[in-house]
Amino acid sequence: MTDAPTHGFDTLQIHAGAKPDPATGARQTPIYQTTAYVFRDADHAAALFNLQEVGFIYSRLTNPTVAVLQERIATLEGGVGAVCCSSGHAAQIMALFPLMQPGCNVVASTRLYGGTVTQLSQTIKRFGWEAKFVDTDDLDAVAAAIDENTRAVFCESIANPGGYVTDIRALANVSDAAGIPLIVDNTSATPYLCNPIKQGATLVVHSTTKYLTGNGTVTGGCIVDSGNFDWSANDKFPSLSAPEPAYHGLKFHETFGGLAFTFHGIAIGLRDLGMTMNPQAAHYTLMGIETLSLRMQRHVENAETVATWLENDDRVDYVTYAGLPSSPYYDRAKSCYPKGAGGLFTFAVKGGYDACVKLVNALEIFSHVANLGDTRSLIIHSASTTHRQLSPEQQEAAGAGPNVVRLSIGIEDSKDLIADLDQALAKACG
Ligand SMILES: *Cc1c(COP(=O)(O)O)cnc(C)c1O
């Protein structure tokens, strides 16, 4: 179908990017479990390799099933194009790769997924890149951290796991003033609860492993480009603005305009970094996305119900959920995320570290796993797992202290989730 902007989210999550299979008429998008595609003739092959024509060459770069998912996510996010890759962490590297060079830095929020803090604070140093972590509520501090070598600002929309929501518009104003792109990890909010591009983001990254797939089956990632950034305004982004030796001096921005970042992501990023999404994973994620809005509505409804119950329980110290009136981010969530503050939150257990360990052991419906955004309810004690590599200060900054557990509320009956938490808290605090 044509993705007419008049179509609603529920229609687009099922139809965008897909049409009956041209070879067979199959209504569902087939899994093209295929590596290579026959060229019509030598001229066709040459045109594809010169990026003069768009088509399928080899599945490290493009695959018909993955292409449908790319168009689906780009449409739901309101971007001009998207590149899928093998995981959320791959998406983050793929997003930074065209922007950065040795000596460059990214200004990143202190409130990020634990693995992202490790990736940005440790691993990217080996590329000669650096991250400067700043409290993104302090816009002056963000502006002050940006220097002549800064190539991006990075944040999460609904931040994992601390009950924090970012004012993307305010942050975009700062990055715009500095002439650098804002990258938003929209994994926890999904395009159903938030469209960062509409609030001024340049690029959106996803771990499709989470809510977009929704059922804990495959890992994947995606980078969506708004198409709005002028990569040629100065000489900060030569990968996109300067002649590319690997393509006979082609300039991506000059040649592809708003699609420069997307083309670069495929023609250079996937070609040379090889962090490719496989067609099976794309299939599972396409299945999941068809019900995204329905699931997110229930995730939010259940999260509000369970968070309210926990907040009123004596064994609980506090609950950090931006959907609760007690949250300092409640008003911001209402205005920036009007459909809800997501399905993730943390709470602090009286009795600290030991009580948290007993709690996760006693739960029966909630599973103790390092994942989120599943139809199933999940719990994790971040301080002993996902945020274990962080210093105590970084743990506190991320809202993952020793007395805190994170819940990823599923789409089960909320009364059953509450009963499970009730019996486990009795064992943990008894
Ligand atoms: C899980 C997650 C990631 C990393 O994604 P993977 O698919 O596990 O590589 C990044 N950001 C957020 C917010 C996440 O939840």
Side-chain angles (χ1 to χ4, degrees):
M1 71 173 225
T2 56
D3 306 327
T6 47
H7 287 126
F9 192 95
D10 292 358
T11 305
L12 293 172
Q13 72 186 353
I14 294 169
H15 292 286
K19 53 183 183 308
D21 181 50
T24 63
R27 188 63 195 85
Q28 185 52 276
T29 300
I31 304 170
Y32 280 89
Q33 196 63 61
T34 48
T35 306
Y37 307 87
V38 179
F39 307 120
R40 288 193 304 270
D41 52 33
D43 286 346
H44 178 219
L48 290 173
F49 275 91
N50 279 340
L51 302 180
Q52 285 155 342
E53 192 177 326
V54 177
F56 299 105
I57 299 177
Y58 184 67
S59 282
R60 175 161 22 87
L61 289 85
T62 45
N63 170 280
T65 311
V66 178
V68 173
L69 179 61
Q70 288 172 162
E71 195 173 331
R72 177 92 37 101
I73 298 175
T75 304
L76 295 178
E77 284 288 10
V80 295
V83 181
C84 283
C85 54
S86 53
S87 71
H89 272 0
Q92 293 167 193
I93 295 296
M94 292 267 301
L96 290 173
F97 177 67
L99 313 179
M100 305 283 274
Q101 294 174 81
C104 290
N105 67 71
V106 51
V107 170
S109 170
T110 47
R111 300 179 186 88
L112 296 174
Y113 177 72
T116 304
V117 176
T118 309
Q119 184 189 57
L120 296 183
S121 64
Q122 307 295 331
T123 305
I124 65 169
K125 282 187 196 158
R126 302 189 193 178
F127 305 145
W129 308 347
E130 196 203 334
K132 302 189 198 178
F133 292 93
V134 184
D135 177 351
T136 45
D137 276 348
D138 187 344
L139 298 172
D140 292 337
V142 176
I146 296 172
D147 62 32
E148 75 274 13
N149 294 320
T150 304
R151 293 294 179 270
V153 175
F154 185 97
C155 71
E156 292 177 11
S157 47
I158 295 177
N160 170 8
Y164 176 82
V165 294
T166 301
D167 185 342
I168 295 171
R169 172 65 62 194
L171 205 52
N173 290 341
V174 177
S175 62
D176 280 353
I180 54 171
L182 172 64
I183 307 173
V184 178
D185 181 339
N186 200 31
T187 300
S188 306
T190 81
Y192 179 70
L193 297 179
C194 174
N195 282 134
I197 288 171
K198 292 197 185 118
Q199 298 180 43
T202 310
L203 301 169
V204 176
V205 292
H206 277 284
S207 167
T208 60
T209 314
K210 313 292 171 51
Y211 292 105
L212 292 183
T213 306
N215 47 27
T217 46
V218 287
T219 63
C222 188
I223 310 108
V224 185
D225 181 18
S226 64
N228 292 334
F229 197 86
D230 182 0
W231 305 109
S232 308
N234 50 47
D235 58 5
K236 284 187 176 173
F237 303 101
S239 295
L240 296 160
S241 63
E244 169 58 50
Y247 282 103
H248 309 301
L250 170 147
K251 297 179 184 171
F252 276 91
H253 191 214
E254 187 183 277
T255 308
F256 301 112
L259 281 166
F261 197 93
T262 303
F263 270 83
H264 188 278
I266 293 169
I268 305 280
L270 289 181
R271 188 194 66 178
D272 297 346
L273 300 177
M275 301 165 167
T276 306
M277 176 181 277
N278 69 74
Q280 284 280 346
H283 168 72
Y284 284 116
T285 305
L286 281 166
M287 295 298 93
I289 285 185
E290 294 189 350
T291 57
L292 180 65
S293 63
L294 309 178
R295 287 184 288 108
M296 292 315 292
Q297 285 160 16
R298 177 64 82 88
H299 282 296
V300 166
E301 189 185 308
N302 278 358
E304 287 173 356
T305 306
V306 174
T308 304
W309 180 82
L310 282 167
E311 186 167 54
N312 291 314
D313 193 279
D314 287 343
R315 297 161 294 190
V316 172
D317 235 344
Y318 59 83
V319 180
T320 61
Y321 179 52
L324 288 177
S326 58
S327 165
Y329 299 106
Y330 181 74
D331 291 337
R332 182 184 293 176
K334 278 267 171 279
S335 72
C336 301
Y337 304 80
K339 288 190 212 159
L344 297 176
F345 61 85
T346 61
F347 69 98
V349 184
K350 287 181 186 160
Y353 192 98
D354 294 339
C356 289
V357 170
K358 284 188 197 151
L359 175 78
V360 294
N361 285 337
L363 283 162
E364 286 165 11
I365 296 177
F366 283 82
S367 306
H368 186 207
V369 301
N371 191 20
L372 59 92
D374 197 315
T375 49
R376 276 153 281 271
S377 288
L378 312 174
I379 187 167
I380 194 146
H381 184 216
S382 303
S384 61
T385 54
T386 52
H387 287 59
R388 197 185 178 87
Q389 309 303 333
L390 308 189
S391 68
E393 297 73 37
Q394 285 175 317
Q395 287 182 352
E396 290 294 341
N403 56 337
V404 172
V405 288
R406 183 194 74 203
L407 300 183
S408 171
I409 298 292
I411 60 174
E412 302 99 329
D413 289 285
S414 58
K415 72 170 179 23
D416 295 333
L417 301 179
I418 288 172
D420 195 29
L421 286 164
D422 193 26
Q423 65 80 20
L425 280 167
K427 290 184 183 133
C429 305

